[in-house]
Amino acid sequence: MKHPIIRVTLILTLSTAVMLSACHKPQVSSTAPPPPPPAAPTASLTASPQAVEKGQPTTLTWETANANEVSIDAAGITTETLGLLQPTGSLQVTPTDSTTYTLYAQGAGGKESVSARVTVTVPAPPAVPSEPSEDELFSQNVKDIYFDFDNADIRYDQQSAIERDAAFLARHVKINLTIEGTCDERGSIEYNLALGDKRANAVKETLVAGGVSSANVKTISFGKEKPVCDEHDESCWQQNRRGHFSR
């Protein structure tokens, strides 16, 4: 009886070992995934206004993310002069010339740069009024002298006008002129030509007495052949009895 017992015991021991080995599968070793890389920096930079006149300021505004070093570089502006900037902020600048501003944002995930251009214009100088020409000055300052009917004397009410004419012409010695003596329609052609000549010379003599060079003044008579008014009444005739200045 001893041997069968031993055999049964061995069989049970082997069966148990096989069952235990079947229940214990080999374990697969697990490794944690690597952490994600740091996020790359992002940045924006604007200038407002984008165009200024020389001497006027503009404002730079920026925003960054994932950056621990922010700086702006441009002509006249460097990191050394400004120092590191805040991740978000603004800065007023006054460029002397058209300038490109570049912002650099650096972090663990890399480096990003963006730019903003400011155009500087030079205002046009104020327009300098041009000096009037001699013809314009002549037209503005020299006025005709009017006469009474059948008379070549300078009227009292024309004295101030001819004095102003003389003062202007004496100051502008390069101006040469002609005095045209004219008459109204009454009287003969010959009579009015003679009267027109007297009127022209009366004006010239008064100008010369007022300091105008005689060499600068010529005279001519048109009599009644060059009217400025064609109506047949006194108001019209008065306009035609004159010493007219021309160049």
Side-chain angles (χ1 to χ4, degrees):
M1 294 297 291
K2 185 176 179 179
H3 290 290
I5 294 173
I6 293 172
R7 185 177 297 165
V8 170
T9 302
L10 288 172
I11 292 170
L12 290 173
T13 300
L14 291 171
S15 298
T16 301
V18 171
M19 293 177 64
L20 290 173
S21 66
C23 293
H24 292 282
K25 295 181 179 179
Q27 294 182 352
V28 179
S29 61
S30 61
T31 303
T42 61
S44 65
L45 176 66
T46 60
S48 180
Q50 294 179 326
V52 295
E53 288 189 351
K54 190 168 185 176
Q56 297 300 310
T58 185
T59 300
L60 304 175
T61 303
W62 67 88
E63 292 184 4
T64 67
N66 307 318
N68 50 32
E69 292 185 9
V70 179
S71 63
I72 290 179
D73 191 15
I77 295 179
T78 63
T79 302
E80 288 74 17
T81 58
L82 290 178
L84 293 178
L85 305 173
Q86 295 296 317
T88 299
S90 62
L91 174 69
Q92 189 177 84
V93 294
T94 306
T96 56
D97 297 294
S98 296
T99 303
T100 298
Y101 296 90
T102 302
L103 180 139
Y104 297 97
Q106 186 167 348
K111 189 174 183 179
E112 175 71 1
S113 64
V114 289
S115 297
R117 178 76 172 172
V118 177
T119 301
V120 176
T121 59
V122 178
V128 178
S130 59
E131 293 292 329
S133 66
E134 282 191 345
D135 284 337
E136 291 172 330
L137 290 172
F138 183 84
S139 176
Q140 293 167 6
N141 291 275
V142 179
K143 305 303 178 183
D144 290 349
I145 303 302
Y146 294 92
F147 293 87
D148 287 332
F149 173 68
D150 197 24
N151 197 298
D153 296 330
I154 304 297
R155 292 187 340 208
Y156 176 78
D157 64 351
Q158 297 295 295
Q159 289 292 333
S160 60
I162 200 168
E163 288 172 3
R164 287 192 296 269
D165 292 343
F168 172 83
L169 293 170
R171 292 194 306 270
H172 295 81
V173 295
K174 294 183 179 180
I175 292 181
N176 296 311
L177 68 145
T178 298
I179 302 171
E180 302 174 1
T182 64
C183 307
D184 63 37
E185 62 184 14
R186 294 170 291 179
S188 67
I189 293 176
E190 293 77 8
Y191 178 83
N192 282 305
L193 283 172
L195 182 57
D197 184 66
K198 291 179 182 179
R199 288 172 175 171
N201 280 287
V203 173
K204 177 179 178 177
E205 290 170 3
T206 306
L207 293 178
V208 171
V212 180
S213 172
S214 176
N216 292 350
V217 184
K218 296 180 180 180
T219 62
I220 188 171
S221 175
F222 287 100
K224 61 180 181 179
E225 304 305 317
K226 197 177 178 180
V228 294
C229 180
D230 294 324
E231 300 297 325
H232 307 291
D233 55 43
E234 179 55 34
S235 64
C236 187
W237 293 333
Q238 172 62 92
Q239 296 177 53
N240 293 331
R241 298 192 301 261
R242 61 179 182 156
H244 173 64
F245 295 89
S246 65
R247 293 196 67 194

